[in-house]
Amino acid sequence: MMAGTPEEKPRRSSKRKPAKRRFGRVRKLPSGRFQARYQGPDGIDRPAPQTFATKTDAEVWLTRTEAQILDDEWINPDAGKISFGKYATDWIKERPNLRPRTIELYDYLFRTHLKPIFEGKPLSEIKEPHVRQWRKKLLDNGVSEVTLAKAYRLLKAILSTAVDDQLIKRNPCRIKGAGQEKSPERPVLTVAQVYRIVEVIEPRYRALVLLGTFASLRWGELTGLQRRDLDLDTGTVKVERQLIQITGKGLTFTNAKSAAGKRTVAIPELIIDELKVHVKDFAVDGDEGLIFVGPDNGPLRNTNFNRRVWAKALQDAGLPKIHFHDLRHTGNTLAASAGASIRELMARMGHSSTRAALIYQHSTDERQREVARKLDELARGALSTSGTQRA
């Protein structure tokens, strides 16, 4: 080495060791694909649910998973392995405030329409295509749109709770409009048709038809009425309970259908005298005596009444087959035509939402003519007061 020549330093390699990942690990598999692993918040080391074509793809997945953990949005992949059948059964049992009839409906929908397809499937494996295929299969098998909408709403509600329980990340029930019921329009009787039924039906059921129509009461509300609920001096009926048939329990008194269902309904004077005669001749004695009973003074059963009494009355009245519940629909329509507001209809029907009441707010030709007559009177009065001459 020549004097004065600076000593050369050994060159460092330009290759650096890759920095160790702060979260998770990536390794190349013999297949050439890449596997990502990470430690979850529960301390368990887990692989990603799939392998990746490139190392970058695996690292991106780890970055997103870390973000989910930091944002408290991470879902334990083992949690969703519970079967839908077990979760749905527990879901129904864990709702003690459901009405008995609602529990019956849920049990039926689950057993008949959800269980055959989804029972053994893990919650995390139910995806949007599965829900679409299930719905189409039921439609193809002739299940009515109303029943299918109820089944879809139940499935969606169960899986929404699974999201809340952090068992799955996303509810796969995402079919727009699938939970909406499109019931066919129910028939509306005229007042004359209602009285044709009253004239031919057995005398002990005349008041049942009249009160069902003009007070817009449900079958269970009518059959659950007691003497103390009917005040014919003030012309009101108080609805506080229902008498309904429950599988395995028979006829059972239950509370009103909802808080709004507990109500007092004003009765038209037209039917007061008929109700007085009925109470005197047919109602059971005592404040808690039932207003409407069969010939043996026992409570009325819907199926027996429809088969033995209602079908014959319709035939004798020369009317087509209609449901007894259509009397309530008729009463609601008459109340709307008489000018009842949305709130007044809600109170009379025992509903807490406006959806059902809005059905009866459609215009009718007769109502339109009544509006026109009132407008005519209003305009004539204004013109007469002002002295303005009509053209």
Side-chain angles (χ1 to χ4, degrees):
M1 182 177 297
M2 296 178 59
T5 302
E7 184 178 354
E8 292 185 4
K9 294 181 180 179
R11 293 182 178 178
R12 293 182 179 177
S13 172
S14 61
K15 292 184 179 180
R16 294 183 179 180
K17 291 183 178 180
K20 186 178 181 181
R21 284 193 59 86
R22 182 171 51 81
F23 175 81
R25 309 178 308 284
V26 176
R27 73 184 181 102
K28 190 172 185 179
L29 300 173
S31 64
R33 294 183 65 82
F34 291 83
Q35 182 190 62
R37 298 188 69 91
Y38 70 102
Q39 187 178 71
D42 53 3
I44 297 176
D45 189 75
R46 289 185 169 84
Q50 74 276 357
T51 58
F52 304 91
T54 67
K55 183 179 180 182
T56 299
D57 291 342
E59 289 175 337
V60 169
W61 185 88
L62 284 172
T63 300
R64 290 174 175 168
T65 302
E66 182 184 22
Q68 291 172 1
I69 293 173
L70 294 174
D71 293 340
D72 197 27
E73 294 179 353
W74 179 79
I75 301 292
N76 186 334
D78 294 330
K81 291 181 180 179
I82 181 174
S83 72
F84 175 83
K86 182 180 186 317
Y87 188 79
T89 302
D90 292 343
W91 186 92
I92 297 173
K93 290 179 180 176
E94 289 168 0
R95 275 149 183 78
N97 294 327
L98 290 178
R99 293 176 53 78
R101 187 61 63 84
T102 303
I103 293 175
E104 267 195 323
L105 174 63
Y106 285 175
D107 283 339
Y108 164 76
L109 293 173
F110 170 71
R111 184 177 66 254
T112 308
H113 300 304
L114 301 183
K115 183 177 178 180
I117 302 297
F118 297 116
E119 181 182 23
K121 205 170 188 66
L123 292 174
S124 58
E125 292 185 14
I126 300 176
K127 305 299 181 184
E128 292 177 35
H130 301 134
V131 176
R132 290 196 301 269
Q133 292 161 12
W134 161 79
R135 183 171 180 271
K136 184 178 185 305
K137 183 176 180 180
L138 292 188
L139 281 173
D140 291 344
N141 289 341
V143 175
S144 71
E145 290 190 10
V146 172
T147 299
L148 183 53
K150 287 182 170 66
Y152 179 86
R153 289 202 305 270
L154 177 60
L155 177 64
K156 186 174 183 179
I158 293 170
L159 294 177
S160 289
T161 305
V163 173
D164 294 339
D165 289 345
Q166 295 189 318
L167 302 180
I168 56 176
K169 187 177 296 186
R170 171 186 169 99
N171 192 329
C173 294
R174 310 184 74 82
I175 305 174
K176 188 174 181 180
Q180 297 176 0
E181 294 182 29
K182 298 177 182 177
S183 302
E185 182 70 21
R186 297 305 311 164
V188 178
L189 281 72
T190 64
V191 173
Q193 287 174 324
V194 171
Y195 270 88
R196 275 163 59 186
I197 297 173
V198 170
E199 288 168 2
V200 299
I201 203 166
E202 295 179 33
R204 69 168 51 249
Y205 304 116
R206 290 167 58 96
L208 181 74
V209 172
L210 291 172
L211 198 59
T213 303
F214 292 103
S216 298
L217 300 188
R218 302 175 177 90
W219 171 266
E221 293 171 343
L222 287 164
T223 57
L225 287 177
Q226 300 172 349
R227 275 182 177 259
R228 57 182 175 175
D229 301 321
L230 200 57
D231 188 338
L232 297 180
D233 293 328
T234 61
T236 59
V237 57
K238 188 186 298 180
V239 181
E240 292 192 334
R241 73 197 71 80
Q242 291 192 105
L243 185 61
I244 60 175
Q245 181 82 27
I246 300 177
T247 304
K249 296 183 179 179
L251 285 174
T252 304
F253 282 106
T254 66
N255 292 327
K257 193 170 184 180
S258 64
K262 187 175 287 189
R263 64 201 188 279
T264 299
V265 181
I267 307 169
E269 187 176 352
L270 173 69
I271 67 172
I272 295 293
D273 287 343
E274 187 78 47
L275 291 174
K276 287 180 178 178
V277 171
H278 175 88
V279 170
K280 179 174 70 72
D281 292 345
F282 300 112
V284 178
D285 293 336
D287 285 347
E288 296 185 2
L290 292 176
I291 298 291
F292 299 109
V293 292
D296 60 352
N297 276 357
L300 294 179
R301 296 177 182 272
N302 197 5
T303 51
N304 291 345
F305 174 84
N306 285 331
R307 184 180 64 254
R308 189 181 66 82
V309 179
W310 184 246
K312 182 177 184 304
L314 292 177
Q315 184 177 9
D316 292 346
L319 295 175
K321 292 181 179 179
I322 57 175
H323 300 309
F324 184 88
H325 191 75
D326 292 330
L327 296 178
R328 170 174 159 87
H329 180 59
T330 297
N332 292 335
T333 303
L334 290 172
S337 297
S341 68
I342 293 290
R343 289 294 172 188
E344 290 165 341
L345 280 172
M346 289 168 60
R348 194 169 186 83
M349 296 162 61
H351 282 279
S352 56
S353 74
T354 60
R355 184 177 65 85
L358 284 169
I359 295 172
Y360 299 100
Q361 283 293 307
H362 53 72
S363 296
T364 63
D365 290 343
E366 184 177 350
R367 184 64 181 156
Q368 288 284 4
R369 285 194 293 271
E370 178 64 21
V371 170
R373 281 195 296 270
K374 289 184 178 180
L375 282 172
D376 183 86
E377 292 172 4
L378 180 67
R380 287 175 183 275
L383 288 171
S384 175
T385 302
S386 66
T388 305
Q389 297 295 320
R390 297 195 306 274

